[in-house]
Amino acid sequence: IDYCYGTDYQERTFDESLIPTEKVAVDTRKIKEQESLIGEKDAENTVQMVIDYIRLNYNNDITLKDLAENVFFLNGSYLSHLLKIKTGKNYLTYLTEIRMEKAEELLRESEMTVTEIAGLCGYNDISKFIQVFKKYYGKTPKRYREDADTKDTI
């Protein structure tokens, strides 16, 4: 018997036959599954934070590159990919959708001018706002408001 730091020490051989290889393979697979789930949870949380950020900041000039690199410290392509998986839309389509929903709400519920609404929805260029709105709703913001007012009075 050898003494090692005050304890009995006996040399023992490791018998690998005592651990079935199937068990090791199953345990490894479980670990990989858990790591995958943790990664998916992190990705899901990140995407939800991105969605929340867009909903709170749609009125600002927020590019995918700035959002990815300066806010979430991720690669822009990866962030866009995550958003596409969660929403079915790419970044610009999702941002435009949020902006158009807010524009529609303001046109129906306020007396603000189209220019004011454009600015509040993140568009500094009124003609770009009108172009995007018309593409999204099939009519100009002015026409949309007129039609909404007509429906309200009927």
Side-chain angles (χ1 to χ4, degrees):
I1 297 177
D2 291 336
Y3 288 96
C4 180
Y5 302 118
T7 61
D8 287 345
Y9 173 78
Q10 256 185 328
E11 186 176 326
R12 294 184 185 185
T13 59
F14 181 71
D15 188 356
E16 291 180 9
S17 67
L18 296 175
I19 301 175
T21 55
E22 305 84 42
K23 175 92 172 114
V24 173
V26 169
D27 289 344
T28 305
R29 196 172 27 242
K30 283 182 183 176
I31 291 169
K32 288 186 185 288
E33 286 172 7
Q34 289 173 345
E35 287 173 348
S36 175
L37 289 174
I38 291 168
E40 287 174 20
K41 265 297 196 209
D42 286 347
E44 191 174 311
N45 290 338
T46 300
V47 172
Q48 190 56 55
M49 288 189 302
V50 170
I51 288 169
D52 293 343
Y53 186 90
I54 292 170
R55 289 191 171 277
L56 291 172
N57 295 283
Y58 65 88
N59 57 328
N60 296 319
D61 182 23
I62 48 175
T63 65
L64 175 62
K65 185 177 190 280
D66 288 339
L67 186 64
E69 292 175 4
N70 301 325
V71 178
F72 292 98
F73 309 105
L74 296 170
N75 176 285
S77 297
Y78 178 67
L79 185 61
S80 184
H81 172 74
L82 290 177
L83 193 62
K84 178 89 172 183
I85 289 171
K86 174 86 173 185
T87 66
K89 301 170 184 98
N90 67 34
Y91 171 76
L92 189 55
T93 301
Y94 186 75
L95 177 61
T96 301
E97 181 179 283
I98 299 302
R99 287 176 168 174
M100 291 297 104
E101 288 172 1
K102 186 61 176 178
E104 178 200 23
E105 177 187 324
L106 291 171
L107 284 166
R108 280 187 289 107
E109 298 176 6
S110 78
E111 297 297 320
M112 288 186 236
T113 66
V114 172
T115 303
E116 290 170 325
I117 292 171
L120 287 173
C121 292
Y123 292 92
N124 297 324
D125 180 356
I126 184 69
S127 59
K128 179 68 174 171
F129 171 72
I130 292 170
Q131 176 189 9
V132 172
F133 191 93
K134 186 173 183 178
K135 183 178 180 185
Y136 198 82
Y137 287 105
K139 51 183 99 175
T140 65
K142 181 180 177 188
R143 182 63 190 211
Y144 185 91
R145 178 178 266 166
E146 290 168 352
D147 290 351
D149 288 343
T150 304
K151 287 180 184 176
D152 289 343
T153 58
I154 296 177

